Amino acid sequence: MERSHKLDYKAHQSVDQENFRISANGGKVFDNVEANQVGNYNVLMNACPANLYDAQNTTWEESHDKFHAAFAAFPWEVLEVFSGPPKVAFTWRHWGTFTGEYDGNKGEGQLVEMFGFGTAVVNDKLQLKDVEIYYNAEQFINVLRGEKKPEDVNANWKSNTGCPFTAMMKSMSISK
């Protein structure tokens, strides 16, 4: 949150200034300065195929404009925490009502959600040192482009129903 609203990364109190690293979906690992320069969206979309989202050629401002044009608000929440400090494992949800436009596709007021999991290593002050985020960026972008319907993605990630991994495992279980 700080990274989107405090342009001076040195003012960020939630991160360990010297040791902060962040990556998404096994992509490039950004340090504190790099992550601030490219912006949250470009960090999180960095491993996405360039034909879906070209993080290398999208500026911080362009990335924020792109998602702010699609959503009036785009909250993020932690759904469940599986382990405590220093390495915190968690599931999360990012969602918004798609009332704007994305790449020429006009939203129709539908709820667009993306779910994922991550780990965050914190220091003794509970400041973030190392963050790894995982989710299906391709499905999210395809929904925004109108190539998929929101109800056709995230079938095993249900809001407010507990651990999404449990739901996935139940749907995949084989009767004996």
Side-chain angles (χ1 to χ4, degrees):
M1 188 68 151
E2 282 183 308
R3 197 159 304 278
S4 291
H5 299 286
K6 293 179 182 176
L7 297 180
D8 180 4
Y9 72 91
K10 294 176 187 167
H12 301 171
Q13 296 177 22
S14 61
V15 301
D16 179 326
Q17 293 287 327
E18 299 299 317
N19 298 303
F20 180 71
R21 304 286 181 270
I22 187 169
S23 65
N25 294 328
K28 176 180 168 56
V29 177
F30 293 85
D31 67 22
N32 195 26
V33 175
E34 292 173 309
N36 195 65
Q37 289 170 341
V38 302
N40 289 341
Y41 296 115
N42 286 336
V43 168
L44 295 174
M45 302 298 279
N46 184 266
C48 193
N51 65 320
L52 290 177
Y53 186 91
D54 190 359
Q56 278 71 30
N57 294 305
T58 303
T59 67
W60 187 102
E61 294 81 7
E62 290 168 339
S63 69
H64 279 257
D65 289 347
K66 188 176 209 89
F67 290 102
H68 290 196
F71 302 104
F74 196 42
W76 186 88
E77 70 178 335
V78 171
L79 297 174
E80 192 165 357
V81 175
F82 298 96
S83 62
K87 188 168 188 173
V88 181
F90 57 94
T91 56
W92 57 269
R93 173 176 84 121
H94 212 340
W95 80 98
T97 304
F98 186 20
T99 55
E101 189 174 309
Y102 185 90
D103 281 357
N105 181 48
K106 176 80 172 106
E108 298 174 355
Q110 65 271 47
L111 176 66
V112 175
E113 300 174 286
M114 68 173 144
F115 295 85
F117 66 94
T119 61
V121 176
V122 296
N123 65 19
D124 60 347
K125 297 176 186 172
L126 299 180
Q127 294 172 313
L128 297 168
K129 289 177 61 177
D130 184 45
V131 177
E132 294 180 12
I133 298 294
Y134 298 91
Y135 69 105
N136 192 325
E138 291 85 355
Q139 284 187 350
F140 172 66
I141 294 299
N142 285 330
V143 167
L144 292 180
R145 288 181 165 183
E147 296 168 6
K148 288 190 177 221
K149 293 182 180 185
E151 59 270 17
D152 294 337
V153 300
N154 300 320
N156 292 317
W157 292 82
K158 304 292 183 203
S159 301
N160 303 318
T161 59
C163 177
F165 293 107
T166 302
M168 282 192 327
M169 295 308 293
K170 285 180 183 175
S171 72
M172 295 169 41
S173 64
I174 300 171
S175 301
K176 291 184 178 181

